[in-house]
Amino acid sequence: MYKLFFNLVFKHMDPEKAHYLAFRWIRGAARTPVLRTFVAAALAPRYKELRTEALGLRMHGPFGLAAGFDKNAVAIDGMAMLGFDHVEIGTVTGEPQPGNPKKRLFRLVADRALINRMGFNNEGSLAVAARLASRNPVFKTTVGVNIGKTKVVPEAEAVGDYVKSTERLAAFADYLVVNVSSPNTPGLRNLQATQALRPLLTAVREAADRTVRSRRVPLLVKIAPDLADEDIDAVADLAVELGLDGIIATNTTIKREGLATEGEVVNETGGLSGAPLKERSLEVLRRLYARVGDKITLVGVGGVENAEDAWQRILAGATLVQGYSAFIYEGPFYARAVHKGLAARLRTSPYATLADAIGADVKENTSA
């Protein structure tokens, strides 16, 4: 029914307008007690065998919503209602910003992909922190907070901008993500170089510890799929050296090879997400796990369309898996289908628990 609705309605709407329309429906359902109870019962069944411990946190399962969908922390309960085990909000910047001029979001239906150049449009760290502080959760879910650089802040002053967001948001984050990998903020990806990344991550870690003394807020970094292999190794080594809690692999790509979609839309600037990112994201994940093993938590994202994709991410070393673009194409049953399929695969696998399956393919290839 959703796919029919998508083809008849959403497919012909401006993607950003369709996004906000769906967003309003989700928020509305979550605010209506009878409706949210019904929806959660249908779309968010719990599987005991999928219970996950990661980053010192206990979650219903390993599958969450990637950053980018809920930039301002306004629909956390709505996404939990739809079955996501964790919700990563943002990207939030130090200061509010409108993002890039519209039109800035494009569908590549033939590729089940999106191109976006949103530009971190959000209300800013102060407003988002106030919203999180006043939140009265309906559903228990893990909330990640993804932070990035304000566009007008010079690259040389980026550390201070990230620290500002950390000081305002860390207290409300179950985990914190430093985003240095979006292609839509000028100079941002330069911060992935280890000589720039080291002082940034160190400053954010110190700010989080200084701000939140009652607990240690897990800190992760999100990297691009377009990094060279040696740079991926360097980031992995740095993460272990600094005692980082995790790496999210990967953000969107600026590459456009092998697309089925034709026309000018494929030449739009911005980050490509969805199915075309699948193989490279999986490759990066395998490389990271081979480098860091179980020393830090890896989060697999990029082209995760179904349960098989999520299962492959776990076998490649991911403790947590995220989706976003496929949610646009699959609709409200997306998380439910992933959970059901993961549970079925675990039952027929040689692994007693989901934790036993993490990195199994990489370990097997290494021992061979």
Side-chain angles (χ1 to χ4, degrees), residues 41 55 59 84 98 154 225:
L55 306 171
M59 307 182 198
F84 290 100

Side-chain angles (χ1 to χ4, degrees), residues 268-289:
E268 294 287 351
T269 58
L272 174 72
S273 62
L277 196 54
K278 185 177 304 185
E279 291 306 317
R280 178 55 181 168
S281 292
L282 188 56
E283 182 181 311
V284 172
L285 182 61
R286 288 193 183 108
R287 188 173 190 92
L288 285 169
Y289 189 77

Side-chain angles (χ1 to χ4, degrees), residues 244-320:
L244 220 62
D245 297 277
I247 300 174
I248 300 180
T250 63
N251 211 320
T252 59
T253 180
I254 58 174
K255 295 180 180 179
R256 299 290 188 269
E257 289 86 355
L259 297 178
T261 302
E262 298 179 348
E264 288 302 313
V265 67
V266 300
N267 297 317
E268 294 287 351
T269 58
L272 174 72
S273 62
L277 196 54
K278 185 177 304 185
E279 291 306 317
R280 178 55 181 168
S281 292
L282 188 56
E283 182 181 311
V284 172
L285 182 61
R286 288 193 183 108
R287 188 173 190 92
L288 285 169
Y289 189 77
R291 194 81 175 184
V292 304
D294 299 320
K295 295 175 183 175
I296 61 177
T297 297
L298 299 180
V299 183
V301 58
V304 178
E305 297 190 276
N306 49 48
E308 180 60 24
D309 292 334
W311 181 242
Q312 291 302 318
R313 293 304 195 282
I314 291 167
L315 294 177
T319 301
L320 300 176

Side-chain angles (χ1 to χ4, degrees), residues 61-112:
F63 188 58
L65 181 71
F69 191 88
D70 186 1
K71 297 177 185 298
N72 294 306
V74 297
I76 296 170
D77 280 324
M79 305 320 297
M81 175 188 69
L82 295 183
F84 290 100
D85 301 312
H86 65 272
V87 177
E88 190 171 308
I89 64 136
T91 296
V92 183
T93 53
E95 302 299 331
Q97 56 185 30
N100 292 322
K102 299 177 181 180
K103 188 175 181 180
R104 55 193 181 181
L105 181 63
F106 308 87
R107 295 191 201 95
L108 282 66
V109 178
D111 294 287
R112 294 175 60 82

